[in-house]
């Protein structure tokens, strides 16, 4: 049964965002309850990537080295580094609101691929960009005292989206020349190397020392769960893209993560109000839902036209 799931890109395209949503809410919880700061968060996230790497090596073996493998390692390292931007935004935003910014990735990928590799841009993709940006403006820009305002948390998330867009564009090109299994091993190795590099930063080193003094089984358990769910999400989504003949359709299906995030935020706030504090007012929920549907509509136009 597992093998059937692993080779069904539709199931994987729905499962990936589900695991990523779980990981995002664990991120928020860990940042608020179990870390000294962001460097502490990134260090332990990367540290547990070594466990994921061992699992991949056990399943796939050691892949051969090539020029592409070096780039895959660098992309894995860059992905973990980009989580600094994501964590800065997540510390001040609702988790479900942070998830909504991910809707910008498919559109920005189209334009970055054009800028870097000359991939063609069609008329309906330009229209789609305007639709997605309209949905983003509805969600993230407020009008207060006669001025348009956007929170610092959203700006950090936009920076993270820009980083992920670059990573996805280069990863897509590498996957054209390298088997999926080999890419995942090198990508995860790059993510693991971040735990070795980050202590060379003085501020990070101080945070990590403080974190190690108070290290306990509860923190380790949450970080393991966090890294594992993120790892499973990445495997599901990258495998879905490698199996499907339509990257656009996979991109559309994965937008269900916004719905997962809204539902999870509502449920967790109602069940665990002392731990999770999402804004679940009717007005906010409707705003998130409407903005999400507009942005998903724009992404649909980008890949399938009107």
């Amino acid at each position: 049964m597992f093998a059937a799931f692993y080779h069904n890109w539709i199931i994987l395209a729905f499962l990936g965002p589900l695991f990523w949503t779980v990981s995002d809410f664990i991120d928020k919880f860990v940042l608020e309850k179990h870390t000294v700061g962001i460097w502490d968060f990134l260090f332990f996230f990367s540290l547990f990537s070594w466990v994921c790497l061992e699992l991949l090596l056990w399943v796939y073996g050691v892949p051969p080295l090539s020029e592409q493998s070096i780039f895959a390692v660098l992309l894995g390292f860059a992905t973990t580094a980009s989580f600094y931007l994501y964590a800065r935004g997540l510390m001040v935003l609702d988790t479900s609101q942070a998830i909504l910014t991910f809707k910008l990735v498919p559109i920005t990928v189209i334009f970055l691929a054009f800028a870097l590799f000359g991939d063609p841009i069609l008329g309906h993709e330009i229209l789609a960009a305007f639709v997605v940006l309209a949905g983003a403006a509805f969600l993230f820009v407020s009008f207060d005292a006669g001025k348009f305002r956007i929170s610092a948390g959203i700006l950090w998330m936009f920076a993270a989206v820009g980083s992920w867009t670059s990573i996805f564009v280069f990863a897509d090109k590498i996957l054209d020349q390298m088997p999926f299994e080999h890419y995942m091993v090198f990508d995860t190795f790059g993510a693991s190397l971040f735990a070795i590099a980050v202590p060379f930063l003085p501020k990070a080193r101080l945070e990590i020392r403080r974190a190690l003094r108070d290290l306990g089984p509860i923190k380790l358990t949450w970080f393991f769960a966090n890294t594992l769910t993120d790892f499973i999400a990445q495997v599901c989504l990258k495998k879905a893209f490698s199996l499907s003949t339509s990257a656009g359709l996979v991109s559309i299906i994965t937008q269900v993560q916004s719905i997962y995030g809204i539902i999870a935020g509502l449920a967790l706030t109602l069940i665990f109000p002392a731990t999770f504090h999402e804004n679940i007012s009717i007005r906010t929920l409707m705003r998130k839902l409407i903005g999400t549907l507009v942005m998903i509509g724009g992404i649909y136009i980008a890949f399938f036209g009107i």
Side-chain angles (χ1 to χ4, degrees):
M1 181 179 293
F2 173 78
F5 281 177
Y6 187 65
H7 294 288
N8 187 316
W9 68 266
I10 296 177
I11 293 175
L12 293 173
F14 277 103
L15 282 178
L18 179 61
F19 280 103
W20 237 331
T21 300
V22 173
S23 178
D24 289 331
F25 277 93
I26 295 177
D27 286 340
K28 180 75 168 180
F29 173 73
V30 167
L31 277 167
E32 291 182 344
K33 306 293 184 181
H34 293 290
T35 59
V36 175
I38 294 176
W39 296 115
D40 170 22
F41 170 78
L42 294 177
F43 173 76
F44 280 99
F45 179 89
S46 176
L47 192 65
F48 276 103
S49 293
W50 287 99
V51 178
C52 299
L53 178 62
E54 290 181 12
L55 178 62
L56 286 172
L57 291 172
W58 176 66
V59 174
Y60 298 133
V62 179
L65 287 173
S66 65
E67 183 179 347
Q68 287 74 31
S69 63
I70 297 173
F71 288 108
V73 171
L74 291 174
L75 290 180
F77 187 94
T79 299
T80 302
S82 71
F83 288 166
Y84 175 86
L85 305 171
Y86 159 77
R88 288 293 299 264
L90 190 61
M91 289 179 73
V92 296
L93 295 174
D94 285 353
T95 306
S96 59
Q97 188 181 22
I99 290 172
L100 292 174
T101 62
F102 303 168
K103 303 285 111 11
L104 295 169
V105 171
I107 293 298
T108 50
V109 162
I110 291 172
F111 285 90
L112 187 62
F114 166 77
L116 294 178
F117 299 106
D119 291 4
I121 294 181
L122 303 177
H124 66 268
E125 292 174 337
I126 296 175
L127 173 62
F130 282 107
V131 174
V132 170
L133 289 174
F138 179 77
L139 279 170
F140 307 129
V141 180
S142 60
F143 190 73
D144 183 30
K147 296 181 179 180
F148 288 104
R149 300 183 184 278
I150 185 168
S151 75
I154 291 295
L155 293 177
W156 281 111
M157 290 305 303
F158 285 172
V161 165
S163 298
W164 296 335
T165 297
S166 303
I167 291 166
F168 290 159
V169 168
F170 285 107
D172 181 62
K173 298 300 179 183
I174 293 174
L175 282 167
D176 288 340
Q177 307 171 56
M178 173 184 289
F180 164 78
E181 293 80 5
H182 294 179
Y183 178 86
M184 282 305 305
V185 171
F186 288 118
D187 178 87
T188 306
F189 177 57
S192 304
L193 289 177
F194 191 85
I196 298 174
V198 72
F200 286 96
L201 298 174
K203 183 177 180 181
R205 186 164 58 250
L206 291 174
E207 278 192 14
I208 294 167
R209 283 177 179 173
R210 289 174 57 195
L212 290 173
R213 293 193 195 104
D214 300 325
L215 189 62
I218 295 177
K219 177 173 181 173
L220 290 174
T221 300
W222 278 112
F223 267 102
F224 175 73
N226 186 27
T227 304
L228 182 63
T229 51
D230 179 83
F231 170 73
I232 294 172
Q234 290 199 49
V235 171
C236 288
L237 290 177
K238 289 171 182 174
K239 185 65 175 179
F241 277 108
S242 69
L243 290 173
S244 173
T245 57
S246 173
L249 191 54
V250 175
S251 296
I252 293 298
I253 293 175
T254 58
Q255 302 313 308
V256 73
Q257 185 181 1
S258 296
I259 307 300
Y260 292 158
I262 293 171
I263 295 172
L266 175 62
L268 290 171
T269 301
L270 291 174
I271 299 171
F272 305 106
T275 303
F276 296 94
H277 317 285
E278 296 276 306
N279 186 338
I280 58 172
S281 67
I282 297 297
R283 179 181 179 183
T284 298
L285 290 175
M286 289 303 298
R287 184 185 181 95
K288 289 179 180 178
L289 184 59
I290 292 170
T292 295
L293 293 176
V294 171
M295 295 176 79
I296 291 175
I299 295 168
Y300 178 89
I301 292 172
F303 289 104
F304 300 106
I306 299 176

